[in-house]
Amino acid sequence: YQWSVGNADFYIKVLMSIYNEIADQEMPTMGINRTYFRDALLEHASSKLVESWYNLLNQYSSNYMNSEILNQTLEIIGSYSCWIDINQTFSQRFVEYFSFSLNQTSLREATLVCLKEIVNKRMDVQPKLDLIDELLSLIHISE
């Protein structure tokens, strides 16, 4: 699937709205069962969400280098990483992308924020360290 800039921007804004309404763990519950909606989204759509993020990153890095779409996508990944399986957002292909994006001045800050959110995920320390080691073995940041 090829994303137009308008479709990609709209999709990312919808995902951020969903995150703000039901997935943000910092938001207090206001009469709705956010856990129910988060769990339903996780069960039925998380792998499709992750695949769409990778497709956006891949398309807008290789074809157009649209840093606005790329930065917004990295923000979404970081936001959703608190409740999506770490192995989905920190797979080999994402690690390779993060290595690429850390070498792009226009993407470096958003990539670092995204990685910070992934590392801040509530999980055991050793798997986090393993993931960081894997990323560090691939990174060769150029100035």
Side-chain angles (χ1 to χ4, degrees), residues 51-107:
E51 189 64 28
S52 71
W53 301 335
Y54 183 75
N55 289 336
L56 282 167
L57 293 175
N58 190 43
Q59 178 182 338
Y60 282 95
S61 292
S62 59
N63 296 347
Y64 309 109
M65 196 53 185
N66 185 316
S67 59
E68 183 177 340
I69 296 293
L70 294 170
N71 282 312
Q72 290 175 351
T73 303
L74 288 164
E75 180 182 354
I76 288 292
I77 294 168
S79 296
Y80 278 74
S81 68
C82 65
W83 57 277
I84 288 184
D85 180 18
I86 191 79
N87 294 314
Q88 288 184 306
T89 56
F90 218 92
S91 64
Q92 182 65 32
R93 66 186 184 166
F94 277 97
V95 169
E96 290 171 3
Y97 181 81
F98 295 143
S99 177
F100 160 79
S101 63
L102 285 169
N103 280 301
Q104 306 300 313
T105 305
S106 62
L107 303 176

Coordinates of all heavy atoms in Angstrom, one line a residue, residues 51-107:
E51 N 2.6 -3.0 11.6 CA 3.0 -3.2 10.2 C 2.7 -1.9 9.4 O 3.6 -1.5 8.6 CB 2.1 -4.3 9.6 CG 2.5 -4.7 8.2 CD 3.9 -5.3 8.1 OE1 4.4 -5.9 9.1 OE2 4.6 -5.1 7.0
S52 N 1.7 -1.2 9.8 CA 1.4 0.1 9.1 C 2.5 1.1 9.4 O 2.9 1.9 8.6 CB 0.0 0.7 9.4 OG 0.0 1.1 10.8
W53 N 3.0 1.1 10.7 CA 4.0 2.1 11.0 C 5.3 1.8 10.3 O 6.0 2.7 9.8 CB 4.3 2.0 12.5 CG 3.2 2.3 13.4 CD1 2.1 3.0 13.1 CD2 3.0 1.8 14.7 NE1 1.2 3.1 14.2 CE2 1.7 2.3 15.2 CE3 3.7 1.0 15.6 CZ2 1.2 2.1 16.4 CZ3 3.2 0.8 16.9 CH2 1.9 1.3 17.3
Y54 N 5.6 0.5 10.2 CA 6.9 0.1 9.4 C 6.7 0.5 8.0 O 7.7 1.1 7.4 CB 7.2 -1.4 9.6 CG 8.5 -1.7 8.9 CD1 9.7 -1.3 9.4 CD2 8.4 -2.3 7.6 CE1 10.9 -1.6 8.7 CE2 9.6 -2.5 6.9 CZ 10.8 -2.2 7.5 OH 12.0 -2.4 6.8
N55 N 5.6 0.3 7.4 CA 5.3 0.7 6.0 C 5.5 2.2 5.8 O 6.1 2.6 4.8 CB 4.0 0.2 5.5 CG 3.9 -1.3 5.3 OD1 4.9 -1.9 5.1 ND2 2.7 -1.8 5.4
L56 N 4.9 3.0 6.7 CA 5.1 4.4 6.6 C 6.6 4.8 6.7 O 7.1 5.6 6.0 CB 4.3 5.1 7.8 CG 2.8 5.2 7.6 CD1 2.1 5.7 8.8 CD2 2.5 6.2 6.5
L57 N 7.3 4.3 7.7 CA 8.7 4.6 7.9 C 9.5 4.2 6.6 O 10.3 5.0 6.1 CB 9.3 3.8 9.1 CG 8.8 4.3 10.4 CD1 9.3 3.4 11.5 CD2 9.1 5.7 10.7
N58 N 9.2 3.0 6.1 CA 9.9 2.6 4.9 C 9.6 3.4 3.7 O 10.5 3.9 3.0 CB 9.5 1.1 4.7 CG 10.4 0.5 3.6 OD1 11.6 0.7 3.6 ND2 9.8 -0.3 2.7
Q59 N 8.3 3.7 3.5 CA 8.0 4.5 2.3 C 8.5 5.9 2.4 O 9.1 6.4 1.4 CB 6.4 4.5 2.1 CG 6.0 5.4 1.0 CD 4.5 5.5 0.9 OE1 3.7 4.6 1.3 NE2 4.0 6.5 0.2
Y60 N 8.3 6.6 3.5 CA 8.7 8.0 3.6 C 10.2 8.2 3.8 O 10.7 9.3 3.8 CB 7.8 8.7 4.6 CG 6.5 9.0 3.9 CD1 5.4 8.2 4.1 CD2 6.4 10.1 3.0 CE1 4.2 8.5 3.4 CE2 5.2 10.4 2.4 CZ 4.1 9.6 2.6 OH 3.0 9.8 1.9
S61 N 10.9 7.1 4.1 CA 12.4 7.2 4.2 C 13.0 7.0 2.8 O 13.9 7.7 2.4 CB 13.0 6.1 5.1 OG 12.6 6.4 6.4
S62 N 12.5 6.0 2.1 CA 13.2 5.6 0.8 C 12.7 6.4 -0.4 O 13.4 6.8 -1.2 CB 13.0 4.1 0.6 OG 11.6 3.8 0.5
N63 N 11.4 6.7 -0.4 CA 10.8 7.4 -1.6 C 10.8 8.9 -1.5 O 11.0 9.6 -2.5 CB 9.4 6.9 -1.9 CG 9.4 5.4 -2.2 OD1 10.4 4.8 -2.5 ND2 8.2 4.8 -2.2
Y64 N 10.4 9.4 -0.4 CA 10.2 10.8 -0.3 C 11.0 11.6 0.8 O 11.0 12.8 0.7 CB 8.7 11.1 0.0 CG 7.8 10.3 -0.9 CD1 7.0 9.2 -0.5 CD2 7.6 10.7 -2.3 CE1 6.2 8.5 -1.3 CE2 6.8 10.0 -3.1 CZ 6.1 8.9 -2.6 OH 5.3 8.2 -3.5
M65 N 11.5 10.9 1.7 CA 12.2 11.5 2.9 C 11.4 12.7 3.4 O 11.9 13.8 3.5 CB 13.6 11.9 2.5 CG 14.5 12.1 3.7 SD 14.5 10.7 4.8 CE 15.5 11.3 6.1
N66 N 10.1 12.4 3.8 CA 9.3 13.4 4.4 C 9.5 13.3 5.9 O 8.9 12.5 6.6 CB 7.8 13.1 4.0 CG 6.9 14.1 4.5 OD1 6.9 14.6 5.7 ND2 5.9 14.5 3.7
S67 N 10.3 14.2 6.4 CA 10.7 14.1 7.9 C 9.5 14.4 8.8 O 9.4 13.9 9.9 CB 11.8 15.0 8.2 OG 11.5 16.3 7.9
E68 N 8.5 15.1 8.3 CA 7.3 15.4 9.2 C 6.5 14.1 9.4 O 6.2 13.8 10.5 CB 6.4 16.5 8.5 CG 5.2 16.8 9.4 CD 4.4 17.9 8.8 OE1 4.9 18.7 8.0 OE2 3.2 18.0 9.2
I69 N 6.3 13.4 8.3 CA 5.5 12.1 8.5 C 6.4 11.1 9.3 O 5.9 10.4 10.2 CB 5.2 11.5 7.1 CG1 4.2 12.4 6.3 CG2 4.7 10.0 7.2 CD1 2.8 12.5 6.9
L70 N 7.7 11.1 9.0 CA 8.6 10.1 9.8 C 8.6 10.5 11.2 O 8.5 9.6 12.1 CB 10.0 10.2 9.1 CG 10.0 9.6 7.7 CD1 11.4 9.9 7.1 CD2 9.7 8.1 7.7
N71 N 8.7 11.7 11.6 CA 8.8 12.1 13.0 C 7.5 11.8 13.7 O 7.5 11.4 14.8 CB 9.1 13.6 13.1 CG 10.6 13.9 12.9 OD1 11.5 13.2 13.5 ND2 10.9 14.9 12.1
Q72 N 6.4 12.1 13.0 CA 5.0 11.8 13.6 C 4.9 10.3 13.8 O 4.3 9.8 14.8 CB 3.9 12.3 12.7 CG 3.8 13.8 12.7 CD 2.7 14.3 11.7 OE1 2.2 13.5 10.9 NE2 2.4 15.5 11.8
T73 N 5.4 9.5 12.9 CA 5.3 8.0 13.0 C 6.1 7.5 14.2 O 5.7 6.7 14.9 CB 5.7 7.3 11.7 OG1 4.9 7.8 10.6 CG2 5.5 5.8 11.8
L74 N 7.3 8.1 14.3 CA 8.2 7.7 15.4 C 7.5 8.1 16.8 O 7.6 7.4 17.7 CB 9.5 8.4 15.3 CG 10.4 7.8 14.2 CD1 11.6 8.8 13.9 CD2 11.0 6.4 14.6
E75 N 6.8 9.2 16.8 CA 6.1 9.7 18.0 C 5.0 8.6 18.3 O 4.8 8.3 19.5 CB 5.5 11.0 17.8 CG 4.7 11.5 19.0 CD 4.1 12.9 18.8 OE1 4.3 13.5 17.7 OE2 3.4 13.3 19.7
I76 N 4.3 8.2 17.3 CA 3.2 7.2 17.5 C 3.8 5.9 18.1 O 3.3 5.3 19.0 CB 2.5 6.9 16.2 CG1 1.6 8.1 15.8 CG2 1.6 5.6 16.3 CD1 0.4 8.3 16.8
I77 N 4.9 5.4 17.5 CA 5.5 4.2 17.9 C 5.9 4.4 19.4 O 5.7 3.5 20.2 CB 6.8 3.9 17.1 CG1 6.3 3.5 15.7 CG2 7.6 2.7 17.7 CD1 7.5 3.4 14.7
G78 N 6.5 5.5 19.7 CA 6.9 5.7 21.1 C 5.7 5.7 22.1 O 5.8 5.2 23.2
S79 N 4.7 6.4 21.6 CA 3.5 6.5 22.5 C 2.8 5.1 22.7 O 2.5 4.8 23.8 CB 2.4 7.4 21.8 OG 2.9 8.7 21.7
Y80 N 2.7 4.3 21.7 CA 2.0 3.1 21.8 C 2.9 2.0 22.4 O 2.4 0.9 22.8 CB 1.5 2.6 20.4 CG 0.2 3.2 20.0 CD1 0.1 4.5 19.6 CD2 -1.0 2.5 20.0 CE1 -1.1 5.1 19.2 CE2 -2.2 3.0 19.6 CZ -2.3 4.3 19.2 OH -3.5 4.9 18.8
S81 N 4.2 2.2 22.4 CA 5.1 1.1 22.9 C 4.9 0.7 24.3 O 5.2 -0.4 24.7 CB 6.5 1.6 22.7 OG 6.9 2.6 23.6
C82 N 4.2 1.6 25.1 CA 4.0 1.2 26.5 C 3.1 0.1 26.7 O 3.1 -0.6 27.7 CB 3.5 2.5 27.3 SG 1.9 3.0 26.8
W83 N 2.3 -0.3 25.7 CA 1.3 -1.4 25.9 C 1.3 -2.4 24.7 O 0.7 -3.4 24.8 CB -0.1 -0.9 26.1 CG -0.6 0.0 25.1 CD1 -0.4 1.4 25.0 CD2 -1.5 -0.3 24.0 NE1 -1.1 1.8 23.9 CE2 -1.8 0.8 23.3 CE3 -2.1 -1.5 23.6 CZ2 -2.6 0.8 22.2 CZ3 -2.9 -1.5 22.5 CH2 -3.1 -0.3 21.8
I84 N 2.1 -2.1 23.7 CA 2.3 -3.1 22.6 C 3.5 -4.0 22.9 O 4.5 -3.4 23.4 CB 2.4 -2.4 21.3 CG1 1.0 -1.9 20.9 CG2 2.9 -3.3 20.2 CD1 0.9 -1.3 19.5
D85 N 3.5 -5.2 22.6 CA 4.6 -6.2 22.8 C 5.9 -5.6 22.3 O 6.0 -5.2 21.1 CB 4.2 -7.5 22.1 CG 5.3 -8.5 22.3 OD1 6.2 -8.4 23.2 OD2 5.4 -9.5 21.5
I86 N 6.9 -5.6 23.1 CA 8.2 -5.0 22.8 C 8.8 -5.7 21.5 O 9.5 -5.1 20.8 CB 9.2 -5.1 24.0 CG1 10.4 -4.3 23.7 CG2 9.6 -6.5 24.3 CD1 10.3 -2.8 24.0
N87 N 8.5 -7.0 21.3 CA 9.1 -7.7 20.2 C 8.5 -7.2 18.9 O 9.1 -7.4 17.8 CB 8.9 -9.2 20.4 CG 9.8 -9.7 21.5 OD1 10.9 -9.3 21.7 ND2 9.1 -10.5 22.4
Q88 N 7.4 -6.6 18.9 CA 6.8 -6.0 17.7 C 7.4 -4.7 17.3 O 7.7 -4.5 16.1 CB 5.3 -5.8 17.8 CG 4.5 -7.1 17.9 CD 3.0 -6.9 17.9 OE1 2.5 -6.1 18.8 NE2 2.3 -7.5 17.0
T89 N 7.7 -3.8 18.3 CA 8.3 -2.5 18.0 C 9.8 -2.5 18.0 O 10.4 -1.5 17.7 CB 7.7 -1.4 18.9 OG1 7.9 -1.8 20.3 CG2 6.2 -1.2 18.7
F90 N 10.4 -3.6 18.5 CA 11.8 -3.6 18.5 C 12.3 -4.9 17.8 O 13.3 -5.5 18.3 CB 12.3 -3.6 20.0 CG 13.5 -2.8 20.2 CD1 13.4 -1.5 20.6 CD2 14.8 -3.4 20.1 CE1 14.6 -0.7 20.7 CE2 15.9 -2.6 20.3 CZ 15.8 -1.3 20.6
S91 N 11.7 -5.2 16.7 CA 12.2 -6.3 15.9 C 13.4 -5.9 15.1 O 13.8 -4.7 15.1 CB 11.0 -6.7 14.9 OG 10.8 -5.7 14.0
Q92 N 14.0 -6.8 14.4 CA 15.2 -6.6 13.7 C 15.0 -5.4 12.6 O 15.8 -4.5 12.5 CB 15.7 -7.8 12.9 CG 17.0 -7.7 12.2 CD 18.2 -7.4 13.0 OE1 18.2 -7.8 14.2 NE2 19.1 -6.6 12.5
R93 N 13.9 -5.4 12.0 CA 13.7 -4.4 10.9 C 13.5 -3.0 11.6 O 14.0 -2.0 11.0 CB 12.5 -4.8 10.0 CG 11.2 -4.8 10.7 CD 10.1 -5.3 9.8 NE 8.8 -5.2 10.5 CZ 7.7 -5.3 9.9 NH1 7.6 -5.5 8.6 NH2 6.5 -5.2 10.5
F94 N 12.9 -2.9 12.7 CA 12.8 -1.6 13.4 C 14.2 -1.2 13.9 O 14.5 0.0 13.9 CB 11.8 -1.7 14.5 CG 10.4 -1.4 14.0 CD1 9.5 -2.5 13.8 CD2 9.9 -0.2 13.8 CE1 8.2 -2.3 13.4 CE2 8.6 0.0 13.3 CZ 7.7 -1.0 13.1
V95 N 14.9 -2.1 14.5 CA 16.3 -1.8 15.0 C 17.1 -1.2 13.8 O 17.8 -0.2 14.0 CB 16.9 -3.0 15.6 CG1 18.4 -2.8 15.9 CG2 16.2 -3.4 16.9
E96 N 17.0 -1.9 12.7 CA 17.7 -1.4 11.5 C 17.2 0.0 11.1 O 18.0 0.9 10.7 CB 17.6 -2.3 10.3 CG 18.4 -3.6 10.6 CD 18.1 -4.7 9.5 OE1 17.3 -4.4 8.6 OE2 18.6 -5.8 9.7
Y97 N 15.9 0.2 11.2 CA 15.4 1.6 10.9 C 15.9 2.6 11.9 O 16.3 3.7 11.5 CB 13.9 1.6 10.8 CG 13.4 3.0 10.4 CD1 13.4 3.4 9.1 CD2 13.1 3.9 11.4 CE1 13.1 4.7 8.8 CE2 12.8 5.2 11.1 CZ 12.8 5.6 9.8 OH 12.5 6.9 9.4
F98 N 15.9 2.3 13.2 CA 16.4 3.2 14.2 C 17.8 3.5 13.9 O 18.2 4.7 14.1 CB 16.2 2.6 15.6 CG 14.7 2.4 16.0 CD1 14.4 1.3 16.8 CD2 13.7 3.3 15.6 CE1 13.1 1.2 17.1 CE2 12.4 3.1 16.0 CZ 12.1 2.1 16.8
S99 N 18.6 2.6 13.5 CA 20.0 2.8 13.2 C 20.1 3.8 12.1 O 20.9 4.8 12.1 CB 20.7 1.5 12.9 OG 22.0 1.7 12.5
F100 N 19.3 3.6 11.0 CA 19.3 4.6 9.9 C 18.8 6.0 10.4 O 19.5 7.0 10.1 CB 18.3 4.0 8.8 CG 17.8 5.1 7.9 CD1 18.6 5.6 6.8 CD2 16.6 5.7 8.1 CE1 18.2 6.6 6.0 CE2 16.1 6.7 7.2 CZ 16.9 7.1 6.2
S101 N 17.8 6.0 11.1 CA 17.2 7.3 11.5 C 18.0 8.1 12.5 O 18.0 9.3 12.5 CB 15.8 7.2 12.0 OG 15.7 6.4 13.2
L102 N 18.8 7.4 13.3 CA 19.8 8.1 14.2 C 20.8 8.9 13.4 O 21.5 9.8 13.9 CB 20.4 7.2 15.2 CG 19.4 6.7 16.3 CD1 20.1 5.6 17.1 CD2 19.1 7.9 17.2
N103 N 21.1 8.4 12.1 CA 22.1 9.1 11.3 C 21.5 10.2 10.5 O 22.2 10.9 9.7 CB 22.7 8.1 10.3 CG 23.8 7.3 11.1 OD1 24.7 7.9 11.6 ND2 23.6 6.0 11.1
Q104 N 20.2 10.5 10.6 CA 19.5 11.6 9.9 C 19.2 12.7 10.9 O 18.5 12.5 11.8 CB 18.2 11.1 9.3 CG 18.3 9.8 8.4 CD 19.2 10.0 7.3 OE1 19.1 11.0 6.5 NE2 20.1 9.1 7.0
T105 N 19.8 13.8 10.6 CA 19.7 15.0 11.5 C 18.2 15.3 11.8 O 17.8 15.6 12.9 CB 20.4 16.2 11.0 OG1 21.8 15.8 10.7 CG2 20.4 17.4 11.9
S106 N 17.4 15.2 10.8 CA 16.0 15.6 10.9 C 15.2 14.6 11.6 O 14.1 14.9 12.1 CB 15.4 15.9 9.5 OG 15.4 14.6 8.8
L107 N 15.7 13.4 11.9 CA 15.0 12.4 12.5 C 15.6 12.0 13.9 O 14.9 11.2 14.7 CB 14.9 11.1 11.7 CG 14.3 11.3 10.3 CD1 14.4 10.0 9.5 CD2 12.9 11.7 10.4

